[in-house]
Amino acid sequence: MSNTVELIAAVRQAAEGTPYVVKEKPYGFDVTIDIVDAQWWTLLRKSGVKRVFTYEVRTKDSTKKMTITDVSNTVRWSGGGGVSSVPSLHAEKSFQRGRVYQYSFQKEVGVDARTGRLGTPVSYSFRSGEGRDLIRDAAQRTGWSESMPMEQKGALIFAGAIVAVGAVVGLVFAAIAVFG
């Protein structure tokens, strides 16, 4: 059994009984949670929201090193009559990739479009660190270590370059102010 297969088995075992789903990929595996997938009716509109959070885990089998990249996707829409009874449609999509620190909760009251019952078709809370902790705990038990993904390394290099340019510009302006 390869090291990656052993890690995937450990993460699957840790995810048992949770809403997290583990899928093997050519680069390693994904751990995904469907945070919410709901449609509901309010007084004048039908609305929907789908939120999915995925942890892309890239593995290097020979060194037992892995990277975790967070991918957050949200699609939200609503349509129907407005206050003036003019039909309208609103849709938005958001996407984040890298290291996403997120805590969110939402409650919507309305008629569930799937069951037809009045209630809270959307009711959740989510903390992005939970999935990373699940993966890291399983990795630690099987002798894996984590390194920084390329997205984070690139962001740190970019931030460092901006700080360096800002420092040089500041020194130039200070020199001009002092020496005229």
Side-chain angles (χ1 to χ4, degrees), residues 141-170:
R141 284 194 312 276
T142 54
W144 283 75
S145 61
E146 183 179 0
S147 57
M148 193 179 292
M150 288 306 294
E151 287 93 346
Q152 287 179 324
K153 287 178 185 175
L156 284 175
I157 291 168
F158 181 75
I162 294 296
V163 168
V165 167
V168 169
V169 168

Side-chain angles (χ1 to χ4, degrees), residues 60-75:
K60 189 167 184 184
D61 200 68
S62 60
T63 59
K64 291 182 93 169
K65 292 211 178 271
M66 64 173 189
T67 62
I68 303 172
T69 302
D70 304 341
V71 182
S72 175
N73 282 292
T74 302
V75 176

Side-chain angles (χ1 to χ4, degrees), residues 61-136:
D61 200 68
S62 60
T63 59
K64 291 182 93 169
K65 292 211 178 271
M66 64 173 189
T67 62
I68 303 172
T69 302
D70 304 341
V71 182
S72 175
N73 282 292
T74 302
V75 176
R76 175 181 278 289
W77 59 270
S78 67
V83 175
S84 63
S85 296
V86 176
S88 66
L89 175 65
H90 170 80
E92 66 182 68
K93 176 169 178 34
S94 67
F95 172 85
Q96 294 176 300
R97 181 180 179 86
R99 179 63 72 224
V100 179
Y101 293 98
Q102 191 175 85
Y103 174 76
S104 58
F105 62 92
Q106 182 175 348
K107 248 188 206 312
E108 294 281 347
V109 177
V111 176
D112 190 315
R114 294 183 180 119
T115 66
R117 294 191 178 133
L118 179 64
T120 53
V122 178
S123 179
Y124 73 86
S125 67
F126 173 72
R127 186 179 66 83
S128 61
E130 287 176 348
R132 278 192 303 276
D133 291 346
L134 182 140
I135 296 164
R136 287 173 176 154

